[in-house]
Amino acid sequence: MNQPKKRSSCRCSNRRAFLADAGLGFTGLALGAMLARDGVLRSAAANEPSAWSPPDGRPHFAAKAKSVIWLFMNGGVSHMESFDPKPMLTKYAGKSIAETPFKDAQDPERLKLARVTVVNDANGQQRNKLYPLQVGFRKRGESGIEVSDWFPHVGALVDDLAVIRSMYTTDDNHGAQTQFHSGRHMLDGEYPTLGAWVHYGLGSVNDDLPQFISLGRREYWNAKDGHYLGPEHDAIPLRIDPANPLDFGKRELACTAEEQRVGFDLVGRLNRLRGVEYPDDPALAARIKAYELAFRMQTSVPEVLDFADETAEAQALYGLDRPETRDFGLQLLAARRLVERGVRFVQIQHGAGGAGVWDAHSKLKSNHEKNCLAVDRPIAGLLQDLKRRGLLDETIVLFATEFGRTPGTQGADGRDHHIYSFSVWLAGGGVRGGTVVGRTDEIGFHAVENRRYVTDVHATILKQLGLDPRRLEVPGRKRLEIDFGRPIAEIT
């Protein structure tokens, strides 16, 4: 006697059938992503307790922040002339380190703390003769945190900042840019940047805009943020130009919206046919999602980058009325408008190209005066604008650079790269303002208290977003203990 066939217990169609379904198209893919994000759909693997499943777009625990604005100063900002002033440099200026009470600063055993064994500073050279501070500094705000006179506007908001003075890294050249963004040396292989991890873990909030955006040129660290997470987690590069914000992102002049829709549907059919043949091709899946998003972005992105509805007061707050601050101010105003519309991660590069404009091997004073002037007012304007709009509570702002500069002089008036200590700061997103974490020695050579590697900053940001980096680990991609970082408890 024939027994009736048992119905499969699997409640979802297979991948091949899904991609072959012409009725779903691009809209179906976007809908699936939104449903998974909202907890309506789960993958087949998620129904099996022993199986690993990718993130579903929801935080692992209660989040204190929703978005990140990542400000990166390319080239290496001097920590002594910004957020960790050292008057002993001026007191002992012109003397070699061996002639000062701080002669043990270059002791090999202390240098090993930073996982290197050489006594030399960056580029294999010893910079022994102390170089005096090139700017004044003062205590600011109710917290009394010392900030240099090159950052008067940011300094006025120091009670909103958590300053980390004890950062260190291990790459003594500008590959350290890669290291700060990914936690790995640029020669270690391909590793995702923090923005890619956030995109991977949390997905979309606004389905008409990219969730990971890059403003400004990128140089030493390459443009593939997602790496093994997949190309769909790469940053989307935008220009501050409503008429042409994205390469190949606008409609051909002779093409009407209806004609474009016909072509768009045809490309969709072809991609779906290709998807049946190659159902597990991540590049194809990313391309399909990118086409769908690009179509929607033709309307959404120009609107975000059109500042006509911003008041003159708001534009002046970002320095758009001044030539020296206008370019960076435009990027930061765009960043506010993006996070306001639900973009999760906005990555802004200041002075990328070559080694980076902050790389002051000579003429440090004129270099940093110019660069601080370009960024100080716009950054303060961003913080003030976010705060008055109620967005700072849910937006983390990071000010970072790849390393510091040497206490000793290079040439007549410069400072070399310095990996043993440097400073960054965070604000907003539940971060405790008016705080200082860590301490360097009297000449700013070593981080001597509460030393922090770059992935500790990553872990802190992920924690505020409700993400556990260990739960984001991808099978087959074993990460080192240091890759996960340790959240900085003093500021969260």
Side-chain angles (χ1 to χ4, degrees):
M1 181 177 177
N2 293 331
Q3 297 291 328
K5 293 182 178 179
K6 293 183 178 180
R7 189 181 299 272
S8 170
S9 61
C10 181
R11 292 180 289 176
C12 59
S13 59
N14 63 50
R15 182 182 178 92
R16 184 181 297 271
F18 172 75
L19 288 173
D21 187 348
L24 288 175
F26 299 135
T27 304
L29 285 172
L31 177 62
M34 288 187 286
L35 291 174
R37 180 191 69 212
D38 295 335
V40 177
L41 290 181
R42 293 290 182 270
S43 67
N47 293 323
E48 300 179 21
S50 63
W52 172 88
S53 60
D56 61 9
R58 297 186 296 179
H60 299 135
F61 43 84
K64 296 180 180 179
K66 294 180 180 178
S67 300
V68 178
I69 298 177
W70 176 281
L71 309 177
F72 197 80
M73 309 294 112
N74 287 272
V77 178
S78 171
H79 50 298
M80 292 88 64
E81 272 101 5
S82 57
F83 299 98
D84 188 18
K86 294 296 176 181
M88 291 297 104
L89 293 180
T90 301
K91 180 176 180 179
Y92 292 97
K95 294 183 179 295
S96 71
I97 294 177
E99 296 176 286
T100 72
F102 321 113
K103 57 186 177 182
D104 62 341
Q106 291 181 317
D107 181 78
E109 292 304 313
R110 295 185 69 183
L111 295 177
K112 287 179 182 178
L113 292 173
R115 299 196 302 167
V116 293
T117 57
V118 297
V119 177
N120 296 337
D121 284 323
N123 301 316
Q125 301 294 319
Q126 288 189 13
R127 309 298 181 189
N128 290 318
K129 187 176 292 187
L130 293 183
Y131 189 50
L133 289 179
Q134 299 299 295
V135 64
F137 59 93
R138 67 189 69 181
K139 294 182 179 181
R140 302 175 188 270
E142 293 183 6
S143 57
I145 296 173
E146 294 175 306
V147 179
S148 91
D149 292 340
W150 283 337
F151 286 96
H153 297 94
V154 171
L157 304 174
V158 73
D159 290 334
D160 292 317
L161 311 186
V163 182
I164 317 300
R165 287 178 171 167
S166 52
M167 297 298 303
Y168 78 94
T169 188
T170 62
D171 192 330
D172 64 7
N173 220 312
H174 295 286
Q177 294 170 14
T178 301
Q179 197 166 18
F180 203 106
H181 287 79
S182 69
R184 285 296 191 100
H185 189 283
M186 64 185 299
L187 300 180
D188 285 348
E190 298 180 344
Y191 291 89
T193 65
L194 180 65
W197 281 115
V198 171
H199 188 278
Y200 173 73
L202 293 176
S204 177
V205 173
N206 183 331
D207 295 298
D208 292 332
L209 286 170
Q211 290 304 292
F212 180 16
I213 289 175
S214 179
L215 298 170
R217 177 179 174 181
R218 297 190 284 183
E219 189 66 27
Y220 273 88
W221 55 285
N222 65 47
K224 294 181 179 180
D225 298 272
H227 287 300
Y228 64 74
L229 295 178
E232 66 270 30
H233 301 295
D234 288 346
I236 302 295
L238 292 186
R239 285 184 293 268
I240 310 301
D241 180 2
N244 187 28
L246 178 66
D247 289 336
F248 312 111
K250 63 179 182 178
R251 186 183 304 127
E252 292 294 332
L253 295 179
C255 178
T256 68
E258 183 56 33
E259 289 170 337
Q260 186 190 34
R261 167 59 72 180
V262 172
F264 189 73
D265 288 344
L266 175 60
V267 171
R269 292 182 184 181
L270 294 173
N271 276 332
R272 288 193 298 276
L273 290 173
R274 190 72 170 173
V276 172
E277 188 175 357
Y278 300 102
D280 297 312
D281 182 357
L284 175 61
R287 187 163 65 247
I288 291 173
K289 292 179 182 178
Y291 285 156
E292 170 68 9
L293 178 59
F295 186 75
R296 298 192 300 271
M297 283 169 56
Q298 288 181 347
T299 300
S300 61
V301 170
E303 183 274 327
V304 175
L305 300 181
D306 183 355
F307 303 150
D309 60 345
E310 297 287 344
T311 66
E313 183 274 336
Q315 296 191 40
L317 189 66
Y318 286 85
L320 304 194
D321 57 341
R322 300 168 181 239
E324 62 270 19
T325 52
R326 179 174 173 79
D327 288 347
F328 197 61
L330 284 168
Q331 293 181 329
L332 298 200
L333 179 53
R336 188 268 287 167
R337 292 172 65 89
L338 287 164
V339 299
E340 193 172 34
R341 289 158 175 78
V343 174
R344 288 203 186 276
F345 204 105
V346 183
Q347 185 170 261
I348 302 177
Q349 307 294 321
H350 178 261
V357 299
W358 293 85
D359 196 28
H361 292 280
S362 62
K363 299 180 179 178
L364 181 134
K365 183 175 182 179
S366 60
N367 173 283
H368 274 38
E369 279 182 338
K370 178 181 179 180
N371 290 319
C372 290
L373 182 63
V375 305
D376 176 50
R377 182 182 292 272
I379 292 173
L382 171 67
L383 294 175
Q384 290 173 286
D385 201 13
L386 290 172
K387 195 169 187 177
R388 70 185 184 180
R389 292 171 182 270
L391 293 171
L392 189 59
D393 289 341
E394 60 186 37
T395 305
I396 301 170
V397 179
L398 169 74
F399 176 96
T401 188
E402 64 259 43
F403 40 52
R405 314 297 310 180
T406 53
T409 183
Q410 180 177 13
D413 53 8
R415 297 191 191 277
D416 206 345
H417 311 160
H418 195 70
I419 64 175
Y420 307 114
S421 63
F422 64 106
S423 298
V424 306
W425 59 254
L426 300 92
V431 169
R432 189 177 298 123
T435 58
V436 173
V437 174
R439 183 175 62 85
T440 56
D441 60 28
E442 292 85 347
I443 58 173
F445 197 103
H446 275 286
V448 294
E449 181 182 290
N450 204 348
R451 298 172 65 252
R452 291 291 181 170
Y453 181 60
V454 294
T455 51
D456 294 342
V457 173
H458 296 189
T460 303
I461 291 174
L462 291 174
K463 177 184 176 183
Q464 298 306 97
L465 293 169
L467 291 174
D468 178 352
R470 295 179 184 278
R471 293 171 65 179
L472 295 176
E473 189 172 38
V474 177
R477 292 283 182 173
K478 188 66 177 175
R479 301 171 71 187
L480 300 176
E481 185 67 22
I482 199 170
D483 293 341
F484 298 107
R486 297 176 294 116
I488 303 171
E490 294 89 342
I491 66 172
T492 61

